[in-house]
Amino acid sequence: MPIYEQLHRQLIAAIAGDELSPGDSLPSVRSLAVDLGINLHTVNKAYALLRDEGYIVMRRGAGATVAERDGGGEAPNRTAEAQDERMGEELYRLALAYKARGGDSAAFLDATKRQCERAYGVRSSQSVTDGATKGNQGR
């Protein structure tokens, strides 16, 4: 997997895991590249992808910060819709790959539920849909 994609995924995981909160500053492209011992264009590509997907905000001179999660305003809503569409396509690709390996839909859904529980930290005694409903009540 390319380094920019590894960095991209790690930063999304840090945001999802509340290690990075909305408004938190990220290291500059140059300093992160030096710290990781990678090309600054690699970091720039990861940051640009995160920006385009709405995870971070980049301002010239102010650097990169974690974006707000509420998606307020018209432009962030379009970004969220585009993200939802990309995620749907990725889920479809995964479902096709699972089917091509001989898996059935029930097994795919079970595997999907386990990964969702893993991502949301939902206990097996608590339903994933209960957790999703609770998470959306404040929005």
Side-chain angles (χ1 to χ4, degrees):
M1 178 182 307
I3 295 172
Y4 80 89
E5 184 62 28
Q6 292 176 44
L7 182 57
H8 170 260
R9 289 181 182 199
Q10 288 174 351
L11 287 168
I12 290 173
I15 293 167
D18 294 327
E19 295 169 45
L20 291 173
S21 300
D24 283 355
S25 293
L26 298 177
S28 71
V29 168
R30 190 173 308 274
S31 69
L32 187 56
V34 169
D35 289 348
L36 297 176
I38 60 176
N39 190 296
L40 73 101
H41 295 293
T42 301
V43 175
N44 195 49
K45 187 171 184 173
Y47 275 20
L49 188 57
L50 290 161
R51 178 203 59 217
D52 293 348
E53 293 173 345
Y55 292 107
I56 67 172
V57 176
M58 295 174 67
R59 292 186 180 91
R60 189 174 291 292
T65 58
V66 177
E68 294 297 325
R69 292 184 183 186
D70 64 4
E74 189 175 319
N77 286 336
R78 281 197 306 265
T79 299
E81 287 174 12
Q83 274 184 295
D84 288 347
E85 187 174 324
R86 280 193 301 270
M87 286 181 207
E89 287 299 317
E90 182 67 12
L91 283 169
Y92 178 69
R93 185 192 66 73
L94 290 170
L96 287 176
Y98 199 87
K99 183 178 179 182
R101 289 187 36 230
D104 64 17
S105 64
F108 178 75
L109 289 173
D110 186 52
T112 302
K113 181 180 178 192
R114 284 193 312 274
Q115 295 307 315
C116 188
E117 289 170 347
R118 179 178 168 208
Y120 284 91
V122 177
R123 304 283 184 251
S124 58
S125 63
Q126 184 181 13
S127 164
V128 173
T129 54
D130 289 346
T133 303
K134 288 177 187 172
N136 290 328
Q137 285 176 350
R139 290 187 186 172

